[in-house]
Amino acid sequence: MVPFNLLVLVSVLYVVLLFLVAFAAEKRAQQGRLGWLRSPWVYTLSLSVYATAWTFYGAVGYAARSGLEFVTIYLGPTLVMIGWWWVVRKLVRIGRSQRITSIADLISSRYGKSNLLGVIVTLMAVIGTTPYIALQLQSVTVSFAVFASQTPQGWGVPDLRSTALWVAAGLALFTILFGTRNLDANERHHGVVTAIALEAVVKLVALLAVGVFVVWGVAQGPADILDRIDASPIATWEMNGGRWVTLLFLAGAAFLTLPRMFQVLVVENSDERHLTTASWAFPLYIFLISLFVVPIAVVGLAQLPEGSNPDLFVLTIPLSFDAEGLAMLTFLGGFSSATSMVIVAAIALSTMVSNHIVMPIWLSARRGGASMSGDVRTVVLRSRRISIGAILALGYLYYVFSGGGAALAAIGLISFTGVAQVLPALLGGIFWRGATRVGAIAGLVLGFSVWAYTMFLPSFGESVLMSAQMLAEGPWGIGWLRPQALFGITGLDPLVHAVFWSMALNTGAFVLGSLMSFPDPLERLQGAQFVNVFEHSGGARGWSGRAAEAEDLLVMAQRILGPEEAQALFQAESRAQGREGYLPDVTPDFIERLERELTGSVGAATAHAMLGQIIGGSSVSVEDLMAVADETAQMLEYSSQLEAKSRELERTARQLRDANEKLTELSVQKDAFLSQISHELRTPMTSIRAFSEILMDGKGMSPAEQRRYSSIIHDETIRLTRLLDDLLDLSVLENGQVTLNCQTANLHDLLERAITATASAETGREIRIIRDEAAENVSLQTDPDRLRQVFINLISNARKYCDAPEPELRITVRRRGDELRVDFIDNGSGIPKRSQEVIFEKFSRLSDQAAAGGAGLGLAICREIMANLGGKVSYLPGQGGAAFRVILPLSCRRAQAGNRQEGP
Amino acid sequence: MGKRVLLIEDEPNITEAIRFLLSREGYQVDTHTDGSTALEAVAARRPDMVILDVMLPNKSGYDILRELRADEATARLPVLMLTARGQRRDREMAERFGASRFMTKPFSNSEMLGSVRELLGS
């Protein structure tokens, strides 16, 4: 009899061994001495997590109940591995090139990084895996119980639940220790994988040992066993074709889609070439492990008392023959099967939960906060650890609430069918570019719902989650919705029924949804990357040898940095490595340095992608491409911003230049104006001063002289006053501050009075004025005084400057729309063309003769008055003599702003 | 026989005032108003000194001065420049072109007389 303490001690020692192995492997890996850790054998053995306690114990039970049907569970994966070239190889390549971390990540990544899909697959995986974990806990506790029941001294049947709790807690600890020790970008766990490989060996040895014991210990060799098999009821078990096909399909699908299988098959794969070994070694392992299932079942059925649980034959046969050492080994084998499954499943699920549920929530909760990488790292690790705890707690709770009653195989098949729902989206995703996110979501949700409805919920037994009535008659009595006879198809095996409907509806929805929806750009890119992974990803590319790489790097660097700089960089590196020439060894340091240099020129993502392309370590991922596109877009935007800025600056500069020119011109004008004013003021002052001093002197002057000189002084002061008046007038007019006094006036009267005023002036000659008095008889709204001032100026100018022998001035009036045109044309020699432009400027007296009597402000004032009146005065060339045209509005309107008065 | 002064000035009142002033002191005063013919007037009248206004019709007083200085015969002829523009730049121009003296309008009579006396060395 095995004392309970010994059993516990052996278990604990075994666990310690696992810890040590895992620890050592982890340490080796950390030191970079991967060596045998990367051997294809470790990889193949780790694939044996497929064989869980369900296989270890359950296969025999299965065989005892259903004959050879159990073989399907092994045959499915075997077929998948033999046909590795088509599916598994592609999955592994995709997993490596896209750095896939889980099956949820694969699906989400394939369909445009849809986090919704990630969440759906994660939830499905958790729901599908929880019963399975419960199953493992159950098997461990039950095997403990078997030992306990065998002890006559009765160290008491241990409390099953507390055993399960301890096991769950221990597994959680192990998984946390080795599954979340560090954050590896590739999600590889050398410690865990090595420990699992060891466990794989233990379970194989254990089962083989039991088999050998049964064949050669209990029976008398193979021939005897074959006879016994023929005699046993197993031989009469009939094959159900539908079930066989269904089971084959399920096992194959589960091999690909079970989270733990995906973890070891794809994620933990460190070298694609391992697949070639695994493709025959794993089927061999499966063959060996199933070799003695039927003999054990047959012997168990024959030798053990009626009613013994066939699921435990592996354990109870050695015990009943008092082969305690063998029983202990068997126990460890079962323990290994259970623990390895739980550990890997917990790692896979925690990665999914943390990556697709916890992290997105955490990141969105603290938007833009994840500034330090250490920050996120801690959160990821913590969320993984908590997830592992939670997953094991869930398994434990399921175990407690389900009562641990159902047959092992049944639970396994329910799980298989649940996770197999991912298959259409998975295969569609890697083989069909037309598969879309919408299709994947539709298929997954529908398939999973049908699975839950037809299989998962009924599995809790009648009246637990579904009433017996509902099972028998359908919900609300709708017959075609009966969970185990959908659409009125009865008589199918419940498993076949559930698998058929869930997969059929799943696939149908997936295909239809894909055909009817259109993928977004990222999705199409990802689709192409996945489906054509062998064309896109590295590995097959022919970068041979280091020198070729260095040269390629140089070619690229020259293109980006320019030949001189690139060559200098390579030469310096070469010299630092103690070599001649331009081609250094491609060391990680050098690549890093080169990447930094390139980053300065083309941006980080582009640099990384370009180097990745050449070094071939990883292919360019879509993220890389998107990052490149982003960077380029940012650069484009930035440069267009710069362009806009520079255009704006140019515009501003032009405006400044214009303003400066204007100011300079104004300054010149101001200087010239002041100079002119000075001249105009000083000239009369000079006469006044000189003559007043002469008069003051008073000696030797005739009274006539005295009178004359006094009158000169008088004239000059009048001239000064007039000048000042004009200046002030002009200033007021130019500033638009003039107050217009708008009245109705008759043009004829205005001209009449202007002519009268000029006729009385002393300067100038007589001039004959020709008028058309009828045309002048127009009444208009204007400021009569100001307008008359203009007329006076024009007429007196003609009197002063017309050089014809018989001066004539013709005044014509014409009406154009609501304008009046009044022309003043004399018969003199006119104004030279070059002067025509300046006559309206201030002080632009054409003759310097002071006798003309003005300071040269007259026409400038006229121009300002006309502008204020809303009209215009201009020189009219080509009229024979000097000709001025006055354009007048008929009504008083202001051309310039700033006047308060708008007329009466 | 009094020294001869040629006054080149276009403003009639100023011309009259200076002529009166200098004649009273015994100088013989000739006058000229047009800038473009000023050099000929100098050549014809052969004055002992010239009183030259800057702002003349058709030709600037500065141009006339420069040409007087350029001519051997008149290079050392005393020239009194008169200007109504009292800016520093005008004075500088006059000095640069070789004016013997520069005077801003309005001037005092005694100043004018003093300058003429000085320039004629009497």
Side-chain angles (χ1 to χ4, degrees):
Chain A
M1 285 298 107
V2 180
F4 182 69
N5 287 342
L6 182 60
L7 188 68
V8 172
L9 184 67
V10 169
S11 310
V12 169
L13 282 177
Y14 181 66
V15 169
V16 169
L17 176 70
L18 289 180
F19 267 83
L20 288 177
V21 167
F23 187 72
E26 199 77 26
K27 195 145 191 176
R28 258 183 93 91
Q30 257 180 10
Q31 291 163 353
R33 297 183 295 134
L34 286 167
W36 53 266
L37 291 179
R38 291 188 54 164
S39 103
W41 301 109
V42 171
Y43 176 68
T44 306
L45 286 173
S46 72
L47 292 187
S48 74
V49 282
Y50 178 75
T52 64
W54 176 33
T55 356
F56 193 85
Y57 294 118
V60 174
Y62 203 152
R65 290 190 198 94
S66 318
L68 283 178
E69 200 175 276
F70 82 95
V71 173
T72 54
I73 303 300
Y74 293 122
L75 221 46
T78 303
L79 290 176
V80 170
M81 278 317 285
I82 288 175
W84 65 281
W85 186 260
W86 289 284
V87 178
V88 180
R89 188 177 70 110
K90 196 161 194 181
L91 276 180
V92 168
R93 176 67 66 84
I94 290 169
R96 283 196 54 192
S97 66
Q98 299 283 325
R99 299 202 192 95
I100 297 296
T101 61
S102 66
I103 182 142
D105 189 31
L106 180 95
I107 299 288
S108 135
S109 184
R110 160 61 179 84
Y111 297 103
K113 320 245 152 172
S114 153
N115 199 48
L116 176 62
L117 267 172
V119 170
I120 291 174
V121 176
T122 301
L123 288 178
M124 284 169 62
V126 170
I127 294 172
T129 310
T130 301
Y132 218 101
I133 290 175
L135 178 65
Q136 311 304 315
L137 297 177
Q138 182 188 344
S139 76
V140 174
T141 54
V142 167
S143 59
F144 262 107
V146 167
F147 275 90
S149 63
Q150 297 277 326
T151 51
Q153 67 266 51
W155 33 263
V157 175
D159 181 1
L160 288 182
R161 285 188 181 183
S162 66
T163 313
L165 186 60
W166 279 109
V167 172
L171 286 173
L173 181 68
F174 184 90
T175 313
I176 287 171
L177 271 181
F178 293 101
T180 63
R181 169 175 286 264
N182 54 4
L183 260 192
D184 182 14
N186 298 317
E187 298 290 350
R188 300 217 176 99
H189 308 87
H190 294 287
V192 172
V193 169
T194 312
I196 281 161
L198 175 67
E199 291 192 297
V201 174
V202 172
K203 49 189 184 194
L204 180 63
V205 168
L207 263 187
L208 286 178
V210 176
V212 169
F213 175 73
V214 164
V215 175
W216 285 278
V218 180
Q220 278 81 49
D224 182 33
I225 277 294
L226 285 177
D227 291 341
R228 287 182 185 225
I229 291 172
D230 279 340
S232 84
I234 290 177
T236 63
W237 245 239
E238 278 183 25
M239 270 176 58
N240 176 332
R243 262 185 79 88
W244 267 70
V245 172
T246 306
L247 284 168
L248 263 180
F249 167 77
L250 261 190
F255 186 72
L256 291 173
T257 56
L258 279 171
R260 68 170 192 281
M261 288 318 298
F262 192 86
Q263 177 80 26
V264 290
L265 194 66
V266 176
V267 181
E268 306 279 0
N269 177 290
S270 53
D271 191 333
E272 220 174 287
R273 284 168 299 188
H274 292 173
L275 282 175
T276 41
T277 309
S279 67
W280 60 265
F282 181 69
L284 179 67
Y285 181 93
I286 291 284
F287 170 76
L288 289 177
I289 215 166
S290 56
L291 184 60
F292 293 108
V293 167
V294 174
I296 295 171
V298 169
V299 170
L301 282 174
Q303 304 278 328
L304 293 180
E306 198 77 13
S308 298
N309 186 354
D311 281 338
L312 294 170
F313 281 173
V314 226
L315 213 48
T316 47
I317 291 174
L319 280 175
S320 69
F321 289 93
D322 289 333
E324 284 167 2
L326 182 60
M328 190 78 80
L329 182 62
T330 317
F331 170 80
L332 286 183
F335 186 75
S336 296
S337 314
T339 52
S340 57
M341 179 272 161
V342 175
I343 289 165
V344 180
I347 288 176
L349 288 180
S350 74
T351 306
M352 287 157 73
V353 170
S354 132
N355 283 5
H356 297 285
I357 296 178
V358 179
M359 290 313 290
I361 292 174
W362 184 78
L363 283 175
S364 72
R366 36 172 313 178
R367 195 165 287 282
S371 49
M372 290 177 294
S373 63
D375 205 11
V376 181
R377 205 185 140 76
T378 320
V379 175
V380 171
L381 282 178
R382 195 172 296 152
S383 85
R384 296 248 172 117
R385 286 169 185 159
I386 292 171
S387 305
I388 289 171
I391 286 157
L392 281 163
L394 219 64
Y396 173 72
L397 287 176
Y398 186 93
Y399 165 72
V400 169
F401 288 113
S402 69
L408 294 180
I411 295 186
L413 287 176
I414 290 168
S415 271
F416 274 24
T417 314
V419 296
Q421 301 303 325
V422 179
L423 193 71
L426 176 74
L427 292 184
I430 66 174
F431 287 111
W432 181 34
R433 282 191 65 175
T436 70
R437 193 172 70 93
V438 173
I441 291 175
L444 282 170
V445 170
L446 188 61
F448 203 68
S449 308
V450 173
W451 167 79
Y453 184 68
T454 59
M455 204 171 185
F456 186 59
L457 298 181
S459 78
F460 288 87
E462 281 186 10
S463 312
V464 177
L465 290 173
M466 281 185 167
S467 66
Q469 189 196 5
M470 184 169 156
L471 280 172
E473 297 169 17
W476 307 286
I478 303 170
W480 60 270
L481 276 183
R482 270 176 293 166
Q484 294 181 338
L486 279 182
F487 309 110
I489 296 173
T490 54
L492 270 183
D493 179 271
L495 173 74
V496 177
H497 174 267
V499 171
F500 173 75
W501 281 119
S502 63
M503 292 309 293
L505 293 172
N506 180 338
T507 310
F510 171 64
V511 172
L512 266 181
S514 294
L515 289 177
M516 284 163 59
S517 63
F518 198 72
D520 64 37
L522 182 59
E523 222 183 308
R524 265 180 295 172
L525 265 173
Q526 287 289 81
Q529 292 260 324
F530 275 56
V531 174
N532 305 324
V533 67
F534 292 114
E535 287 143 50
H536 289 301
S537 63
R541 228 193 347 246
W543 296 110
S544 55
R546 288 255 146 131
E549 255 177 39
E551 196 169 349
D552 294 323
L553 288 175
L554 180 60
V555 168
M556 179 192 67
Q558 282 180 343
R559 226 170 272 157
I560 295 170
L561 299 172
E564 276 176 40
E565 202 177 324
Q567 284 159 14
L569 179 72
F570 276 63
Q571 207 171 14
E573 183 67 24
S574 211
R575 208 171 298 135
Q577 292 179 0
R579 305 173 53 141
E580 293 286 310
Y582 292 96
L583 298 179
D585 272 339
V586 184
T587 62
D589 280 350
F590 175 56
I591 289 172
E592 217 168 275
R593 212 174 121 209
L594 185 58
E595 185 171 338
R596 268 200 307 277
E597 294 283 334
L598 296 181
T599 299
S601 302
V602 293
T606 314
H608 185 75
M610 293 178 107
L611 281 174
Q613 277 282 12
I614 289 183
I615 292 157
S618 63
S619 72
V620 184
S621 72
V622 172
E623 279 112 325
D624 292 339
L625 286 176
M626 289 312 228
V628 171
D630 270 0
E631 246 166 31
T632 317
Q634 275 170 14
M635 279 181 198
L636 278 178
E637 189 176 331
Y638 184 61
S639 91
S640 79
Q641 276 175 5
L642 278 183
E643 256 170 49
K645 271 264 159 53
S646 99
R647 269 199 301 276
E648 201 180 302
L649 281 176
E650 223 168 83
R651 207 161 39 236
T652 313
R654 205 161 41 234
Q655 284 169 351
L656 279 176
R657 209 158 44 230
D658 289 352
N660 190 45
E661 271 167 21
K662 201 166 273 175
L663 278 177
T664 314
E665 197 184 319
L666 278 176
S667 169
V668 169
Q669 279 182 7
K670 188 197 77 182
D671 278 355
F673 181 70
L674 282 179
S675 185
Q676 278 287 358
I677 293 277
S678 169
H679 181 263
E680 297 299 330
L681 287 174
R682 281 170 192 272
T683 302
M685 295 281 246
T686 309
S687 305
I688 292 168
R689 185 167 180 185
F691 283 114
S692 57
E693 281 183 13
I694 289 167
L695 285 175
M696 272 162 20
D697 240 7
K699 54 181 179 182
M701 239 188 298
S702 65
E705 276 176 330
Q706 278 184 7
R707 225 179 8 260
R708 173 165 166 69
Y709 295 157
S710 312
S711 83
I712 291 178
I713 292 175
H714 178 251
D715 288 349
E716 293 288 14
T717 51
I718 286 172
R719 182 175 158 195
L720 265 180
T721 312
R722 199 167 58 224
L723 174 67
L724 290 175
D725 283 347
D726 283 357
L727 276 175
L728 287 175
D729 203 14
L730 190 63
S731 159
V732 166
L733 285 164
E734 277 183 342
N735 291 333
Q737 290 164 335
V738 66
T739 303
L740 292 180
N741 183 16
C742 271
Q743 291 171 13
T744 308
N746 187 286
L747 184 62
H748 178 262
D749 296 348
L750 286 174
L751 283 169
E752 194 70 40
R753 274 152 66 188
I755 291 163
T756 314
T758 51
S760 67
E762 290 149 23
T763 52
R765 305 187 292 161
E766 279 301 317
I767 190 165
R768 194 163 77 89
I769 296 177
I770 306 160
R771 297 164 62 190
D772 176 5
E773 303 203 12
E776 286 167 11
N777 197 5
V778 185
S779 77
L780 70 162
Q781 283 266 321
T782 190
D783 182 327
D785 292 336
R786 285 296 187 179
L787 187 56
R788 199 172 61 230
Q789 198 181 340
V790 174
F791 290 164
I792 289 173
N793 197 291
L794 292 174
I795 296 167
S796 62
N797 275 353
R799 280 187 55 175
K800 280 183 213 163
Y801 302 119
C802 183
D803 50 4
E806 287 177 27
E808 266 180 22
L809 177 66
R810 199 167 67 245
I811 300 174
T812 59
V813 177
R814 224 169 316 151
R815 187 169 166 173
R816 261 299 161 84
D818 53 359
E819 279 179 355
L820 279 181
R821 287 180 178 179
V822 187
D823 293 345
F824 296 81
I825 303 167
D826 69 24
N827 60 347
S829 54
I831 295 172
K833 190 163 188 330
R834 62 182 167 80
S835 307
Q836 286 170 9
E837 288 163 14
V838 297
I839 46 174
F840 290 100
E841 298 301 323
K842 293 183 278 278
F843 304 114
S844 64
R845 226 169 12 197
L846 292 182
S847 141
D848 272 72
Q849 292 161 9
L857 293 174
L859 281 175
I861 291 173
C862 286
R863 186 181 61 176
E864 292 302 325
I865 289 174
M866 287 320 296
N868 275 281
L869 287 175
K872 194 179 169 186
V873 56
S874 55
Y875 186 77
L876 205 60
Q879 304 297 318
F884 290 87
R885 167 168 289 178
V886 175
I887 297 175
L888 268 177
L890 280 175
S891 58
C892 207
R893 69 162 186 255
R894 294 285 307 195
Q896 282 177 331
N899 194 333
R900 289 176 203 93
Q901 190 185 338
E902 283 292 336
Chain B
M1 174 91 181
K3 296 258 173 112
R4 290 171 17 144
V5 176
L6 176 59
L7 171 62
I8 308 177
E9 162 71 63
D10 67 323
E11 192 69 31
N13 288 342
I14 296 175
T15 308
E16 187 166 355
I18 293 175
R19 183 207 292 274
F20 178 85
L21 210 58
L22 296 184
S23 306
R24 203 172 57 181
E25 294 299 315
Y27 295 111
Q28 187 181 336
V29 179
D30 296 318
T31 62
H32 188 81
T33 57
D34 186 39
S36 56
T37 52
L39 286 172
E40 287 96 85
V42 172
R45 304 280 172 88
R46 307 184 137 276
D48 294 310
M49 75 166 287
V50 173
I51 297 174
L52 181 59
D53 186 30
V54 173
M55 291 266 282
L56 290 171
N58 302 326
K59 191 166 189 175
S60 149
Y62 295 124
D63 292 341
I64 297 168
L65 175 61
R66 210 170 48 210
E67 285 171 42
L68 282 176
R69 289 305 180 226
D71 186 347
E72 192 64 24
T74 54
R76 244 156 283 154
L77 181 67
V79 175
L80 169 62
M81 289 292 282
L82 281 182
T83 178
R85 294 202 255 197
Q87 285 165 323
R88 202 178 53 199
R89 210 183 48 206
D90 298 301
R91 181 182 288 276
E92 283 167 6
M93 292 244 290
E95 279 167 9
R96 180 142 39 93
F97 293 137
S100 314
R101 187 150 296 216
F102 181 87
M103 204 175 274
T104 307
K105 296 177 185 176
F107 45 82
S108 78
N109 291 354
S110 54
E111 196 184 351
M112 167 62 75
L113 276 174
S115 299
V116 170
R117 270 192 205 122
E118 203 176 304
L119 288 172
L120 289 174
S122 54

